[in-house]
Amino acid sequence: MEEEHGHVGIACGGHAGDTAVASTPAAKRQGSGDVASRRSMPHFWTFVIILAIAGNLAIIFASRVDSPSIARDRTLPRALKASGITGNPFEGQVLYKNPVNQAQFDESINSAFGPVKASLKAMRDVPSAYWIDVKAKIKGNTERSLQGILQDASSKSPAEMVVFIWYDLPNRDCKAKASNGEICCKYNPDRTCDYTWQLECNDGLNEYKETYADPFIEVLQKFKGKVPVAIVVEPDSLPNLATNTGNPRCGGAATRQAYEEGIAYAVKQLTSKTPWVAVYIDAAHGGWLGWQNNLVGFMTILKDMKLPMNKVRGFAQNVANYQPLGEAMCPYEPDSGTNRNGYCLNGRHSSEVCCADPCSLAAEWNPANNELNYAQELINAAKSVLGIDAHVIIDTGRNGVTDMRKSCANWCNIRGAGAGKPSTTNTAEPAIIDAYFWLKTPGESDGCTATLPSGEVCPRFDSDCQSIDSIGSAVGEPHAPEAGRWFDYQVKQLAELAHMD
């Protein structure tokens, strides 16, 4: 088999907050400038009907994260053994469970029965991140705002750790339609973003700094020493710059300026003015950046931005996506002259559990066939290009089922998905993986169908949300609400097919 080069990754998954504001960011998915033209992956899937789920999922998930247990029978690569791999910010913390999200689960629990109801009750008690995806969510006294959540979490004894998604760049979500944001480099008359205008983004960046980033930092500073915080910075943005430069909405001068300067400002402000906050930069997932060309391109962008990476904790993976976690991380056997792990490539070790490849990535010379292997690729690339010992957190909210998609390029409200491992520090590789965490609350829609549940036309419809794998594309399925809105049908399916053990 001849090696293939220059792949762009499988599309990223959907993510959004729960805001009811019209500018709610929708789901994300990009990873390829020509995803539609990529070959369909011939993976047949079946629905798993779990009749005995109640007994397995009637577990009480305590909010205190588990202590990691290191019991490995192989040697980690040198990049993963650096003396600085200490100080997991999640370790020993009580994790915050947002009452707003719990109330959404209660609505679905009240109309559920049997094993699905038992699973929903277990999911209700799993801590998850909260998306600050519009300016209106920064200040306020309710648990729908940054300030209100910090007030609530700091009032607990002990104070509970909160995870936020920082997400409001100008020209946000450049390759999609469902998640376009509220800040633009240039506005259309209806206040949507004019992505065709790509000269510069000075006004948009000033708006971002003055009305989103600075107020965000101001609120965080008021809670110094009162509550532990972790923040994931701007999902999908830099991965889009690394792989979608051929799309003028993403590769144009204005969007590139918005993303690079906006994220540089955010990271520098966070690390200098709120150094107690654990910062993770979004790194998409293995089906997007796992190819060496894509991963090195991503790391090179970070290097060129001159970020204070020595003050950043690391990276966030699989945010709002469905990529498989994997049963194990493979031994590290890099190809000659590269950092790429060749352990599963070219058909090698295909029978080993760490090489299980439901998305056929290894067959395309991508070593990140699961997110554990992608974590290893990320860490080694960061060491090689950036000279840092990074750590990762992995979104496991919706990857409990691994083979449900006919094409792993599909990301929107995936049919047959199940909730994954609950938020915990008990990870497969504690030396580099700080936590599995529900970075998108299961039950929040990735994006709307062309027709909303109300019967109205969805103004933010993305054609990816009518994919063959998307709920709402088959006869008899309900219409999907806009991104971030509660999707009762989906959360019950996630509960029915959950694998949270």
Side-chain angles (χ1 to χ4, degrees), residues 300-320:
T300 301
I301 288 173
L302 290 174
K303 184 177 181 179
D304 292 344
M305 289 170 65
K306 295 180 169 44
L307 300 176
M309 292 302 298
N310 61 321
K311 298 179 181 180
V312 172
R313 180 64 183 173
F315 301 99
Q317 298 177 212
N318 198 43
V319 176

Side-chain angles (χ1 to χ4, degrees), residues 8-349:
V8 285
I10 289 173
C12 170
H15 35 271
D18 68 341
T19 178
V21 181
S23 58
T24 299
K28 274 4 164 275
R29 68 245 96 217
Q30 335 28 303
S32 163
D34 62 347
V35 163
S37 66
R38 291 176 58 87
R39 61 134 178 87
S40 294
M41 299 179 183
H43 299 294
F44 297 98
W45 54 273
T46 57
F47 287 107
V48 181
I49 306 301
I50 303 175
L51 299 177
I53 196 171
N56 292 330
L57 295 176
I59 300 169
I60 300 175
F61 290 101
S63 61
R64 183 174 296 275
V65 295
D66 304 320
S67 297
S69 175
I70 304 176
R72 306 300 298 166
D73 59 359
R74 60 175 177 77
T75 301
L76 290 172
R78 178 176 297 180
L80 310 188
K81 297 168 67 176
S83 60
I85 307 250
T86 57
N88 182 351
F90 290 84
E91 179 61 33
Q93 301 289 356
V94 177
L95 300 178
Y96 182 75
K97 292 176 285 190
N98 193 307
V100 172
N101 290 340
Q102 291 188 316
Q104 292 172 317
F105 272 106
D106 288 339
E107 294 176 8
S108 295
I109 289 169
N110 290 338
S111 58
F113 302 92
V116 171
K117 187 168 190 171
S119 182
L120 286 169
K121 288 181 177 179
M123 293 166 66
R124 179 189 186 275
D125 287 331
V126 178
S128 61
Y130 197 82
W131 292 65
I132 308 301
D133 45 28
V134 288
K135 306 170 196 175
K137 288 173 129 182
I138 295 174
K139 296 184 179 181
N141 295 317
T142 74
E143 289 79 18
R144 292 182 180 273
S145 69
L146 171 71
Q147 183 177 1
I149 290 169
L150 290 172
Q151 288 173 344
D152 189 37
S154 64
S155 71
K156 312 291 184 182
S157 183
E160 297 177 356
M161 183 176 185
V162 185
V163 180
F164 294 105
I165 311 296
W166 175 300
Y167 186 60
D168 206 16
L169 275 174
N171 281 17
R172 188 181 69 197
D173 202 7
C174 60
K175 192 176 179 292
K177 297 179 181 177
S179 305
N180 295 163
E182 63 178 348
I183 303 176
C184 302
C185 295
K186 184 182 181 189
Y187 290 94
N188 290 312
D190 63 357
R191 300 295 292 175
T192 59
C193 295
D194 180 0
Y195 286 90
T196 66
W197 194 86
Q198 289 290 340
L199 296 179
E200 45 79 16
C201 195
N202 296 329
D203 290 345
L205 281 165
N206 287 335
E207 182 181 352
Y208 178 68
K209 294 173 183 178
E210 295 171 5
T211 65
Y212 182 83
D214 290 349
F216 202 125
I217 295 294
E218 177 187 337
V219 170
L220 287 174
Q221 288 177 316
K222 293 179 181 178
F223 291 88
K224 178 181 179 180
K226 297 180 181 180
V227 58
V229 177
I231 289 179
V232 175
V233 177
E234 298 291 359
D236 288 358
S237 302
L238 295 180
N240 265 321
L241 294 190
T243 64
N244 282 316
T245 55
N247 183 328
R249 291 166 57 103
C250 298
T255 298
R256 179 169 289 276
Q257 179 191 6
Y259 288 14
E260 292 183 349
E261 293 185 20
I263 289 175
Y265 185 82
V267 171
K268 290 174 182 177
Q269 293 294 299
L270 284 166
T271 55
S272 64
K273 295 185 177 179
T274 60
W276 63 90
V277 172
V279 177
Y280 297 86
I281 294 174
D282 178 75
H285 56 78
W288 184 345
L289 295 183
W291 286 273
Q292 276 291 292
N293 289 349
N294 291 355
L295 186 54
V296 171
F298 172 73
M299 291 295 170
T300 301
I301 288 173
L302 290 174
K303 184 177 181 179
D304 292 344
M305 289 170 65
K306 295 180 169 44
L307 300 176
M309 292 302 298
N310 61 321
K311 298 179 181 180
V312 172
R313 180 64 183 173
F315 301 99
Q317 298 177 212
N318 198 43
V319 176
N321 213 300
Y322 300 84
Q323 291 299 106
L325 177 64
E327 296 293 328
M329 182 185 290
C330 286
Y332 183 60
E333 296 183 1
D335 291 339
S336 176
T338 75
N339 288 321
R340 182 182 67 182
N341 190 7
Y343 193 81
C344 298
L345 303 184
N346 202 22
R348 285 175 284 179
H349 308 105

Side-chain angles (χ1 to χ4, degrees), residues 214-492:
D214 290 349
F216 202 125
I217 295 294
E218 177 187 337
V219 170
L220 287 174
Q221 288 177 316
K222 293 179 181 178
F223 291 88
K224 178 181 179 180
K226 297 180 181 180
V227 58
V229 177
I231 289 179
V232 175
V233 177
E234 298 291 359
D236 288 358
S237 302
L238 295 180
N240 265 321
L241 294 190
T243 64
N244 282 316
T245 55
N247 183 328
R249 291 166 57 103
C250 298
T255 298
R256 179 169 289 276
Q257 179 191 6
Y259 288 14
E260 292 183 349
E261 293 185 20
I263 289 175
Y265 185 82
V267 171
K268 290 174 182 177
Q269 293 294 299
L270 284 166
T271 55
S272 64
K273 295 185 177 179
T274 60
W276 63 90
V277 172
V279 177
Y280 297 86
I281 294 174
D282 178 75
H285 56 78
W288 184 345
L289 295 183
W291 286 273
Q292 276 291 292
N293 289 349
N294 291 355
L295 186 54
V296 171
F298 172 73
M299 291 295 170
T300 301
I301 288 173
L302 290 174
K303 184 177 181 179
D304 292 344
M305 289 170 65
K306 295 180 169 44
L307 300 176
M309 292 302 298
N310 61 321
K311 298 179 181 180
V312 172
R313 180 64 183 173
F315 301 99
Q317 298 177 212
N318 198 43
V319 176
N321 213 300
Y322 300 84
Q323 291 299 106
L325 177 64
E327 296 293 328
M329 182 185 290
C330 286
Y332 183 60
E333 296 183 1
D335 291 339
S336 176
T338 75
N339 288 321
R340 182 182 67 182
N341 190 7
Y343 193 81
C344 298
L345 303 184
N346 202 22
R348 285 175 284 179
H349 308 105
S350 59
S351 63
E352 295 191 20
V353 66
C354 74
C355 291
D357 193 13
C359 288
S360 292
L361 294 172
E364 294 192 351
W365 298 92
N366 182 340
N369 56 296
N370 64 47
E371 289 302 295
L372 296 180
N373 286 339
Y374 180 49
Q376 185 165 230
E377 295 297 304
L378 262 179
I379 297 307
N380 284 315
K383 183 70 172 180
S384 175
V385 179
L386 303 175
I388 63 169
D389 293 306
H391 309 78
V392 303
I393 53 177
I394 303 174
D395 191 346
T396 54
R398 303 186 298 176
N399 63 357
V401 179
T402 63
D403 59 352
M404 68 289 186
R405 287 176 288 182
K406 292 189 175 182
S407 170
C408 287
N410 294 330
W411 56 267
C412 187
N413 299 326
I414 298 302
R415 182 188 302 107
K421 291 183 180 295
S423 303
T424 180
T425 58
N426 187 16
T427 69
E429 294 290 347
I432 63 171
I433 303 173
D434 285 343
Y436 304 142
F437 204 87
W438 286 12
L439 296 174
K440 177 182 173 84
T441 302
E444 293 179 352
S445 175
D446 291 323
C448 54
T449 44
T451 302
L452 292 168
S454 65
E456 299 174 302
V457 173
C458 180
R460 303 168 70 85
F461 171 65
D462 190 305
S463 60
D464 284 353
C465 290
Q466 65 179 10
S467 78
I468 193 172
D469 291 319
S470 297
I471 296 173
S473 65
V475 175
E477 291 180 330
H479 299 305
E482 289 199 61
R485 305 294 181 88
W486 195 250
F487 194 0
D488 179 75
Y489 182 90
Q490 185 190 39
V491 77
K492 286 174 177 172

